[in-house]
Amino acid sequence: MAGINFEAKHIDSHDVLKILAAEGVEYLLSCEGKVPLSECDGKVICLFFSANWCRPCRAFVPRLVELYETLRKRGINLEIIFVSFDREEDGFNEHLKSMPWLAVPFDVNLHRRLIDRYQVDQIPSFIPLYSEDLIVEKNLIECIEDYGADAFPFTRKRHEELKAIDKRKREEANLEELLAHEGRDFLISGDDRKVPVSELAGKTIGLYFCAYWSPPSRAFTAQLTDVYNNLKATKGNCFEIVLISTDRDHKEFNVNRSSTPWLAIPYEDRTRHDLCRIYDIKGIPALVLIGPDGKVISLNGKFMVTSYGADAFPFTESRIRDLEAALRKEGEALPQQVEDVKHEHVLKLDMAKAYVCDSCKEQGKFWAFSCDVCDYDLHPSCLEKVNKDQDW
């Protein structure tokens, strides 16, 4: 863990204590009662501007609590002082209940003067008082949400180091580093078996980001399950999927993983959050494919699976090119337009990602004979069959 030279980059942290003393503040508050200002002597001080009425603030507090407790366990003599944007004391007291750190006693006018002094124009805001090289406040909140305690000491240099680590993991994954975590070197199966991460070495891996609450996720999970089972049956044990859950709670997560045949990262593990950040996952479902050599094959595995199913394996660019070439050849062998005895309009050759054939009522993909006038589609094979039956 990178340290920080407080002597070299020190901005007098105790200015805030002098300011508070000059304002007549004799003590700070904790959940347990009054704490003298002198308790903060010699500590790394950060100010936290927040409000109970602010939903993003309430959502951010647990992340900050985790950071606070982790850094203190690491021996960082850190103290956070909460300055409230609340308009009512009841809201202030309710908000303080969720915080293990200290707070400036409720005083709307004093809080407003501190807000103006530190030029806070949005909440939540987190302001360390010791470094001249800080990330700007908005990005600092995002940085803490992304990296937790590893964001310390909150400098641009540290942020750049963390982004460089993410880039390396994204471009060439070491599965142990990517999927394991401190104290955990295994994944879990739907039936609660612990499977060592080392057993995935040499396989093609799909990192599957999804949530049970999401209808698009459930729909794609059904497709992906078919592909997974097909590859297990035809290719052996060369492909594995790891669930990266974005479920809302542990109960949903358990339903999610127990309904699928693959492995998962434990719900309580921060690695789930880290992987979403590393691969810049903005929406679900998403499937990141990693080759046997640890390098990313595709960040859009969902498209490959949806388009080509198990035929896309091993999901390489060359395999997709071969499939696309075969598809073009198939289209070139078909007539551009035809007449079908069951339909009054001319049907034109069309490429569609998915459709339902109006003859056999089965799902179709890619080539179809479609009507420009009405909603009518036929599999090429159904068209031939209908015409032959009619001729006979």
Side-chain angles (χ1 to χ4, degrees), residues 307-326:
S307 298
Y308 301 107
D311 289 339
F313 186 81
F315 309 111
T316 57
E317 290 184 8
S318 61
R319 177 58 181 164
I320 300 304
R321 284 196 299 268
D322 289 345
L323 290 171
E324 289 174 346

Side-chain angles (χ1 to χ4, degrees), residues 180-242:
H181 191 63
E182 184 178 351
R184 178 189 59 78
D185 61 357
F186 59 86
L187 303 168
I188 54 175
S189 65
D191 57 1
D192 293 322
R193 288 182 298 108
K194 294 180 179 179
V195 178
V197 174
S198 58
E199 290 191 8
L200 275 60
K203 298 181 182 181
T204 298
I205 307 297
L207 302 180
Y208 182 35
F209 300 82
C210 74
Y212 190 76
W213 55 261
S214 161
S217 289
R218 294 201 298 273
F220 182 64
T221 294
Q223 289 181 284
L224 189 57
T225 300
D226 288 342
V227 169
Y228 180 85
N229 291 334
N230 184 314
L231 291 175
K232 286 288 186 183
T234 59
K235 303 292 186 182
N237 203 26
C238 59
F239 179 56
E240 190 53 75
I241 294 173
V242 179

Side-chain angles (χ1 to χ4, degrees), residues 53 77 95 117 119-120 126 144 166 173 179 181 214 218 259 271 291 311 315 329 331-332:
W53 52 259
N77 199 11
H95 206 29
R117 176 179 287 272
Q119 300 178 348
V120 178
F126 184 75
I144 291 172
D166 280 354
L179 301 179
H181 191 63
S214 161
R218 294 201 298 273
S259 62
T271 304
D311 289 339
F315 309 111
K329 186 175 181 180
E332 290 168 359

Side-chain angles (χ1 to χ4, degrees), residues 81-318:
I81 299 177
F82 164 46
V83 180
S84 178
F85 267 67
D86 285 297
R87 307 176 185 96
E88 305 292 338
E89 189 167 6
D90 287 346
F92 166 81
N93 289 331
E94 185 64 27
H95 206 29
L96 182 58
K97 289 179 183 178
S98 64
M99 303 175 187
W101 46 78
L102 304 179
V104 176
F106 184 76
D107 181 330
V108 172
N109 293 328
L110 171 58
H111 292 171
R112 173 50 58 188
R113 289 194 292 274
L114 291 172
I115 288 164
D116 291 343
R117 176 179 287 272
Y118 289 98
Q119 300 178 348
V120 178
D121 58 6
Q122 61 185 7
I123 52 173
S125 277
F126 184 75
I127 305 178
L129 299 179
Y130 56 79
S131 175
E132 297 173 346
D133 187 33
L134 296 173
I135 305 169
V136 296
E137 291 163 29
K138 180 180 178 181
N139 287 344
L140 182 51
I141 295 293
E142 293 174 357
C143 186
I144 291 172
E145 288 178 332
D146 284 343
Y147 297 103
D150 288 341
F152 184 80
F154 314 120
T155 59
R156 291 182 181 87
K157 179 181 178 182
R158 180 58 182 160
H159 195 211
E160 289 166 2
E161 289 172 350
L162 291 168
K163 290 194 293 184
I165 292 170
D166 280 354
K167 184 174 184 291
R168 176 180 57 78
K169 289 182 178 180
R170 183 169 57 249
E171 293 179 351
E172 189 163 349
N174 174 308
L175 292 181
E176 297 279 354
E177 186 181 16
L178 196 64
L179 301 179
H181 191 63
E182 184 178 351
R184 178 189 59 78
D185 61 357
F186 59 86
L187 303 168
I188 54 175
S189 65
D191 57 1
D192 293 322
R193 288 182 298 108
K194 294 180 179 179
V195 178
V197 174
S198 58
E199 290 191 8
L200 275 60
K203 298 181 182 181
T204 298
I205 307 297
L207 302 180
Y208 182 35
F209 300 82
C210 74
Y212 190 76
W213 55 261
S214 161
S217 289
R218 294 201 298 273
F220 182 64
T221 294
Q223 289 181 284
L224 189 57
T225 300
D226 288 342
V227 169
Y228 180 85
N229 291 334
N230 184 314
L231 291 175
K232 286 288 186 183
T234 59
K235 303 292 186 182
N237 203 26
C238 59
F239 179 56
E240 190 53 75
I241 294 173
V242 179
L243 170 65
I244 318 298
S245 165
T246 55
D247 289 297
R248 293 171 292 198
D249 55 42
H250 207 285
K251 183 178 179 181
E252 279 187 355
F253 167 73
N254 284 335
V255 173
N256 197 352
R257 73 182 178 94
S258 64
S259 62
T260 56
W262 42 72
L263 304 176
I265 289 176
Y267 185 78
E268 61 277 7
D269 200 312
R270 180 175 168 76
T271 304
R272 298 184 303 113
H273 179 89
D274 292 340
L275 289 168
C276 288
R277 182 194 68 245
I278 289 168
Y279 292 106
D280 195 27
I281 302 301
K282 300 299 186 185
I284 56 171
L287 182 66
V288 173
L289 294 165
I290 298 173
D293 60 356
K295 294 183 179 179
V296 172
I297 301 171
S298 175
L299 297 174
N300 193 10
K302 178 176 177 288
F303 169 78
M304 293 184 179
V305 168
T306 301
S307 298
Y308 301 107
D311 289 339
F313 186 81
F315 309 111
T316 57
E317 290 184 8
S318 61

